[in-house]
Amino acid sequence: MKKKHVSIVALWEKAAKAKKTASTSTPNAVEIESNESNVQLALVPLPAQNDGEKNGEAPQPDRGSPTPIVEETASDEEVEMSEIRVDLEALEHDPGKRIPISRYDVNDRDSVRRRYIELGPCQPKNHDFKYRDIGGHPRRFCPVWFKENKWLEYSVEKGAAFCFICYLFKDRIKCPGGDTFVNGGWRNWNLKSRLKKHIGGVTSAHAEAQEKYDRFTTPRTSIRESFASNTTEYKALYVLRLTWTLKCLRFLLRQGLAFRGHDESEQSLNKGNFLELLNWLAGNFDEVDKVVLRNAPQNCKMTCHEIQHELIKCCAQETTKLVIEELGGQHFAILADESADVYQNEQLAVCLRYVDKKGRAVVRFLGIAHVEDTSALTLKAAVEHMLMKYNLTLAMVRGQGYDGASNMKGNANGLKKLIMDESPYAYYVHCFAHQLQLTMVAVAKESGDCTWFFGQLGILLNVLSNSCKKMRMLRMAQAEELIDALELEEVETGRGLNQEMGLGRPCDTRWGSHYKTVMHVISMYPAIRRVLVKIGKEYTTAEAQAAMTMLTSFRSFEFVFMAHLMQEIFGYTEDLSRALQKKDQDIVNAMELVDLTKFHLQCLREEEGWNGFLERVTSFCVKYNIKVVDMEGPYYPVGRPKRGFYNGAMNYHRFHVDMFVSVIDRQLRELNDRFDEVNTELLSCMAAFSPLNSFAAYDQVKLVTLATKFYPKDFTTEELSKLPWQLTMYISHVRRDERFKNLKNLCELSVKLVETEKDDQYHVVYKLLKLVLILPVATASVERVFSTMNFVKNKQRNKMGDQYLNNCLVTFIEREFFSQVKDQDIINLFQQGDRRVIL
């Protein structure tokens, strides 16, 4: 049996890492047992040398002396692990979390370097850099150094600065020392001169690494290009071929369509969308036919699946780049939710909410990430990794929007708490649309009358929707009722009127669908009744019995009463639900809409509301020959046993108190309990910005409190001192200006300030307004991402890779930015790889 070779240096480094302590003197001897023999070897290391001495830097007094710098030699176990294929999309962007380049397999190192060059240096310019006590003075990293030193990057994990160029290309054998900017990180913020010392002269280690970096990023200087015999004409044809391939891909990406075909051979009659579209272009345009497919070189057709995936990746990167440019390094809010795709992979979708340059509150899709589980720590790591790819950090977050799951909003270990530990001003708002959903569920479960009504509705749908023949009968009955109404001149004719309606089955998780179903049942009442009678006469015993049983409840006053009551309640909440799902909805306007909904429900509960409601129900019953109950008579339940109700109950008490008032009171109580955020001090202060009724809610004290108490670190001392008088001038100006009248919400106010260039004049006030607009209202944008994901990754494409799915979603969801991306930018990014033809 062949014995494995053991590196003494590697074993010694493992033992040193296990101790996790930095010694200020000569380390003790480490005993290592070799696998080749039972002899114990004592390795006594040389005295430790400071990181900065080798590069002319002063020693760091606040840190212990690190272990000696030696060339890393991986053991057999490390070599075996390095042979595993590298996941380039999972590489850590934070320099404090990176694995040294030497630890990767030799064949993968160039790919890793190329991926890091695509990501660029980790430069979170708007991060909240922590202060550090150096010599009795608080010091911190200065983001201006990023502009002065393009190679400089900052690790949020370790709070230290690193050199991007040296990490990628430094020769550890020729220049073994001076690894402060590569391994441990530089933290002496008071010694800016160390940055210049690290660069050194023309023969320094950094200069040599910079030269390797320039050669690596300039393909024309590569050996492959030197030996290539590609002529100018060949390159021009290559560009045309690549351009037409890209145009086909862009069309399919914008439509969310599949690319591959089941059989892409020459004999296939359907080669898939991509090849068929390229064939169609070649068959109709000679300039395309000259350069693609059969007229292209066999080894450079630019149609294989790998080329398609790389181009799609470049499209997604350029699209996201425009989103990050629009964000402009300002604060933002996170909208996140997790859901399973069609392949039952758990996916986490992340969107960003911020204020763009036009003053609009926008929500942009950032990406999705596959997560192994839905624990709070896993979700936080996924969000943090996704943000770091674009030089964004959790310290820049000023709002969080999730659903009500415990792993998301938990006060002890939820995602909300973990993010607020790093960013205390990332205030959490429970999705308003989700809370409204929960109120409907609670009312339906608590009220026995609502439960009975929705149960009867489910039976009705089962009777009518279980066969195509019955649905055709319903459509025919609806047409006959319409003809009768037209002859009696009860309805009007015109474009878009009298459309055919169906009975869609409502979804338990989307109560807006219940409103649509109830409305259609009331509108199609005579047609449904006609079909139930016909089924009872023509069908078999079981189906006829079910139809006649349902007809008994369907023709009762109690069913009609509950249908109209649900229509009233759903009608008020439907407007609120639609308003909450707008992307530019601000939280102050959402609070006002909630209050307005509760006001209308309270008015419906009053005596006048009851009388008007009962009149509408009675008129409907008279129109369709339904027996109207005597409100002064005794109550007899329909379709339910009498023992469930006390003897002697009167119809008035039963319908008015037990049904009408009780259901509305439950709805109001749930709205008050669920939307408790509207009573918090934070949102009360935000409401002082409301422009309604000529800024009637304006309160300078609350706005100053909003800045000093809830966002103190976002304003300098000078800005806080300017805020009171800027607010005084601001409110006087907007109340006099005719352009600021009739504004309905904060979004319109923000846009108008930008249009009139008042955002620069009152920059502190506008800065505070943007923080208010950032706070999210609902996670409807994330829900739309999952709907789109089910469209893109369907049953026919159920095995799409996670990164491929993310790239397709970015280009499909953010079509506005994708259409702005230039073909040349995509081609330039595509050419940064190891290409056969260098442009």
Side-chain angles (χ1 to χ4, degrees):
M1 181 177 178
K2 185 179 179 180
K3 297 181 179 180
K4 293 184 178 180
H5 173 70
V6 178
S7 171
I8 302 300
V9 176
L11 292 175
W12 177 79
E13 286 182 350
K14 281 187 174 181
K17 291 179 181 178
K19 292 183 178 181
K20 295 182 179 179
T21 56
S23 175
T24 56
S25 60
T26 303
N28 298 327
V30 180
E31 292 187 354
I32 303 175
E33 184 177 353
S34 174
N35 293 335
E36 298 183 358
S37 65
N38 295 326
V39 180
Q40 291 186 345
L41 303 178
L43 175 64
V44 181
L46 296 174
Q49 185 179 20
N50 190 279
D51 290 342
E53 292 178 359
K54 202 71 177 179
N55 203 23
E57 300 179 5
Q60 302 179 18
D62 59 310
R63 299 179 58 202
S65 300
T67 56
I69 303 301
V70 295
E71 177 64 14
E72 295 176 341
T73 306
S75 64
D76 284 359
E77 295 179 358
E78 293 171 340
V79 171
E80 290 176 3
M81 294 198 54
S82 66
E83 291 177 353
I84 300 176
R85 185 173 181 179
V86 179
D87 185 3
L88 297 178
E89 300 301 330
L91 295 178
E92 291 289 351
H93 196 201
D94 191 312
K97 298 180 180 179
R98 291 175 184 163
I99 302 174
I101 291 291
S102 57
R103 296 292 177 89
Y104 291 102
D105 186 82
V106 177
N107 297 324
D108 293 331
R109 291 178 187 176
D110 281 352
S111 299
V112 173
R113 289 189 177 104
R114 189 171 293 110
R115 176 55 181 160
Y116 274 123
I117 291 173
E118 288 180 6
L119 294 173
C122 181
Q123 298 181 345
K125 300 177 182 179
N126 295 86
H127 176 67
D128 184 15
F129 299 98
K130 303 299 181 183
Y131 284 94
R132 180 167 167 262
D133 186 15
I134 301 178
H137 298 281
R139 306 281 187 176
R140 71 169 185 171
F141 181 87
C142 183
V144 180
W145 295 341
F146 286 138
K147 294 182 179 180
E148 301 172 355
N149 305 276
K150 302 298 182 182
W151 51 267
L152 188 63
E153 52 183 355
Y154 182 84
S155 170
V156 178
E157 177 73 14
K158 291 188 175 181
F162 291 81
C163 177
F164 182 65
I165 304 298
C166 291
Y167 167 76
L168 294 177
F169 293 102
K170 182 179 180 182
D171 192 337
R172 300 291 301 277
I173 299 177
K174 185 177 179 181
C175 303
D179 277 357
T180 300
F181 285 90
V182 178
N183 288 341
W186 176 70
R187 299 179 180 84
N188 288 343
W189 313 133
N190 59 324
L191 301 176
K192 182 184 175 183
S193 58
R194 294 293 183 268
L195 298 175
K196 292 185 178 180
K197 286 187 177 182
H198 172 75
I199 297 175
V202 247
T203 59
S204 67
H206 177 85
E208 184 176 346
Q210 182 69 52
E211 184 179 0
K212 293 179 181 179
Y213 175 85
D214 295 337
R215 290 180 178 178
F216 189 84
T217 55
T218 309
R220 290 187 179 89
T221 61
S222 65
I223 297 177
R224 177 191 292 271
E225 178 66 11
S226 301
F227 283 96
S229 58
N230 296 325
T231 62
T232 304
E233 182 182 0
Y234 185 87
K235 291 182 179 181
L237 295 176
Y238 169 81
V239 172
L240 289 175
R241 187 160 51 252
L242 181 59
T243 301
W244 286 112
T245 297
L246 178 58
K247 289 184 180 297
C248 293
L249 291 176
R250 294 190 67 152
F251 174 80
L252 297 175
L253 286 172
R254 285 181 55 86
Q255 300 301 319
L257 299 176
F259 297 86
R260 297 188 186 184
H262 181 69
D263 181 8
E264 296 186 348
S265 63
E266 291 294 333
Q267 296 77 22
S268 176
L269 297 177
N270 185 1
K271 301 180 180 63
N273 293 328
F274 173 74
L275 290 179
E276 289 293 337
L277 178 59
L278 194 59
N279 266 307
W280 183 87
L281 289 173
N284 288 272
F285 302 97
D286 293 337
E287 62 270 23
V288 182
D289 186 48
K290 292 178 181 179
V291 295
V292 301
L293 298 176
R294 60 180 178 272
N295 292 325
Q298 293 298 316
N299 59 349
C300 192
K301 287 189 173 184
M302 308 303 293
T303 58
C304 69
H305 301 147
E306 289 76 11
I307 295 294
Q308 294 179 33
H309 286 186
E310 291 185 28
L311 281 171
I312 292 170
K313 176 184 174 183
C314 295
C315 292
Q317 289 179 357
E318 288 296 319
T319 303
T320 307
K321 180 181 178 181
L322 293 181
V323 174
I324 300 302
E325 288 177 357
E326 185 188 54
L327 175 61
Q330 61 180 326
H331 297 300
F332 56 88
I334 290 178
L335 304 176
D337 198 3
E338 72 277 356
S339 178
D341 58 25
V342 70
Y343 196 60
Q344 297 303 311
N345 282 336
E346 195 74 27
Q347 304 287 359
L348 174 70
V350 178
C351 295
L352 302 182
R353 178 183 171 93
Y354 56 90
V355 180
D356 64 4
K357 297 178 181 179
K358 296 182 179 180
R360 302 173 300 177
V362 296
V363 179
R364 301 298 184 189
F365 174 63
L366 185 64
I368 62 168
H370 172 60
V371 290
E372 297 297 333
D373 56 73
T374 56
S375 63
L377 289 174
T378 303
L379 298 179
K380 176 182 177 290
V383 171
E384 193 172 16
H385 182 267
M386 191 179 300
L387 293 177
M388 188 56 66
K389 286 170 58 178
Y390 308 105
N391 292 327
L392 305 176
T393 64
L394 295 178
M396 302 167 61
V397 178
R398 289 297 178 270
Q400 303 179 69
Y402 316 124
D403 58 14
S406 59
N407 63 331
M408 305 295 278
K409 73 166 189 175
N411 293 324
N413 297 313
L415 179 60
K416 174 195 75 173
K417 179 63 168 56
L418 296 178
I419 293 181
M420 290 194 71
D421 288 342
E422 300 193 21
S423 180
Y425 311 116
Y427 298 110
Y428 165 75
V429 176
H430 187 181
C431 173
F432 275 37
H434 187 259
Q435 293 182 83
L436 182 62
Q437 173 90 2
L438 294 177
T439 62
M440 301 298 180
V441 174
V443 171
K445 289 182 177 180
E446 291 180 4
S447 174
D449 297 307
C450 290
T451 303
W452 172 82
F453 172 73
F454 287 117
Q456 296 297 313
L457 201 60
I459 296 174
L460 174 64
L461 295 175
N462 289 334
V463 171
L464 297 179
S465 304
N466 58 1
S467 71
C468 299
K469 185 177 181 180
K470 293 176 183 177
M471 293 304 300
R472 178 170 177 78
M473 291 171 58
L474 181 61
R475 288 193 289 268
M476 295 299 296
Q478 187 179 354
E480 293 172 0
E481 292 291 338
L482 179 60
I483 293 174
D484 295 341
L486 289 173
E487 292 177 353
L488 297 175
E489 298 183 353
E490 294 180 352
V491 296
E492 298 180 356
T493 59
R495 184 175 182 179
L497 300 178
N498 307 316
Q499 296 293 312
E500 183 180 280
M501 291 182 291
L503 289 177
R505 188 174 295 275
C507 178
D508 291 339
T509 57
R510 301 193 181 278
W511 281 80
S513 60
H514 288 69
Y515 176 59
K516 183 178 180 180
T517 302
V518 172
M519 285 189 61
H520 285 190
V521 167
I522 294 176
S523 301
M524 300 168 58
Y525 187 87
I528 294 174
R529 184 175 59 181
R530 179 180 295 188
V531 172
L532 290 176
V533 173
K534 191 172 183 180
I535 293 175
K537 294 179 179 179
E538 298 180 1
Y539 274 68
T540 59
T541 305
E543 293 175 317
Q545 185 64 32
M548 296 308 295
T549 303
M550 183 62 229
L551 184 62
T552 303
S553 299
F554 190 73
R555 298 180 61 178
S556 66
F557 179 83
E558 190 167 348
F559 182 90
V560 175
F561 183 91
M562 287 302 302
H564 280 77
L565 179 58
M566 291 295 101
Q567 184 185 30
E568 290 282 341
I569 294 178
F570 284 146
Y572 289 124
T573 56
E574 175 70 9
D575 293 338
L576 174 61
S577 178
R578 290 183 178 274
L580 293 178
Q581 296 182 38
K582 293 182 178 179
K583 292 184 179 181
D584 60 345
Q585 187 64 261
D586 63 86
I587 196 165
V588 174
N589 190 54
M591 293 161 48
E592 295 173 352
L593 291 173
V594 172
D595 291 337
L596 186 62
T597 301
K598 292 190 290 187
F599 172 77
H600 286 302
L601 290 176
Q602 185 63 39
C603 292
L604 180 64
R605 186 188 182 279
E606 301 298 331
E607 190 67 26
E608 294 182 0
W610 158 254
N611 292 333
F613 173 77
L614 184 62
E615 183 178 351
R616 290 191 294 272
V617 175
T618 304
S619 175
F620 183 88
C621 293
V622 171
K623 180 179 180 180
Y624 295 111
N625 298 322
I626 301 172
K627 182 179 179 181
V628 180
V629 300
D630 182 11
M631 288 296 169
E632 301 298 330
Y635 170 73
Y636 296 101
V638 178
R640 287 183 283 182
K642 295 182 179 180
R643 62 187 179 187
F645 306 93
Y646 57 89
N647 295 328
M650 305 300 292
N651 284 324
Y652 179 81
H653 184 275
R654 183 74 183 90
F655 286 99
H656 181 231
V657 179
D658 293 348
M659 294 185 184
F660 186 78
V661 175
S662 177
V663 173
I664 295 177
D665 284 347
R666 283 191 173 95
Q667 184 68 48
L668 289 172
R669 185 180 69 249
E670 290 294 331
L671 286 174
N672 290 325
D673 293 343
R674 301 284 180 182
F675 291 92
D676 54 347
E677 286 93 346
V678 297
N679 299 321
T680 62
E681 183 182 3
L682 171 62
L683 300 188
S684 176
C685 293
M686 289 181 173
F689 257 127
S690 178
L692 291 175
N693 301 323
S694 299
F695 301 86
Y698 173 80
D699 190 331
Q700 181 171 319
V701 176
K702 288 185 177 180
L703 293 178
V704 172
T705 302
L706 181 64
T708 57
K709 183 177 180 179
F710 295 100
Y711 299 103
K713 289 190 176 181
D714 293 326
F715 297 89
T716 63
T717 305
E718 183 182 357
E719 289 176 337
L720 291 177
S721 62
K722 288 182 179 180
L723 182 59
W725 63 264
Q726 270 206 13
L727 284 170
T728 302
M729 296 181 63
Y730 153 78
I731 192 61
S732 176
H733 196 148
V734 295
R735 281 177 173 172
R736 293 181 180 181
D737 197 333
E738 294 291 333
R739 293 172 295 182
F740 287 87
K741 290 186 177 180
N742 302 322
L743 297 180
K744 298 179 182 179
N745 50 53
L746 296 184
C747 292
E748 294 183 4
L749 173 62
S750 176
V751 172
K752 189 62 67 176
L753 286 173
V754 175
E755 290 178 355
T756 56
E757 299 182 354
K758 297 296 185 293
D759 57 323
D760 291 332
Q761 183 177 354
Y762 308 111
H763 62 279
V764 183
V765 178
Y766 184 67
K767 186 177 182 179
L768 184 60
L769 177 60
K770 289 198 297 183
L771 290 173
V772 175
L773 287 174
I774 286 173
L775 206 61
V777 177
T779 59
S781 298
V782 185
E783 299 295 335
R784 294 188 185 99
V785 171
F786 292 135
S787 300
T788 306
M789 182 176 66
N790 293 330
F791 176 78
V792 173
K793 188 175 182 178
N794 49 39
K795 292 182 179 180
Q796 285 73 32
R797 308 173 74 189
N798 60 353
K799 291 189 178 181
M800 291 178 64
D802 295 329
Q803 189 59 37
Y804 180 38
L805 172 62
N806 177 79
N807 296 335
C808 292
L809 286 177
V810 168
T811 53
F812 185 63
I813 295 175
E814 298 299 336
R815 291 188 291 271
E816 177 185 352
F817 286 104
F818 184 40
S819 60
Q820 299 175 16
V821 176
K822 299 179 181 179
D823 289 347
Q824 189 59 47
D825 293 336
I826 299 175
I827 292 175
N828 292 339
L829 182 59
F830 176 77
Q831 283 294 119
Q832 290 182 5
D834 187 13
R835 303 294 168 210
R836 176 178 288 105
V837 181
I838 306 301
L839 301 179

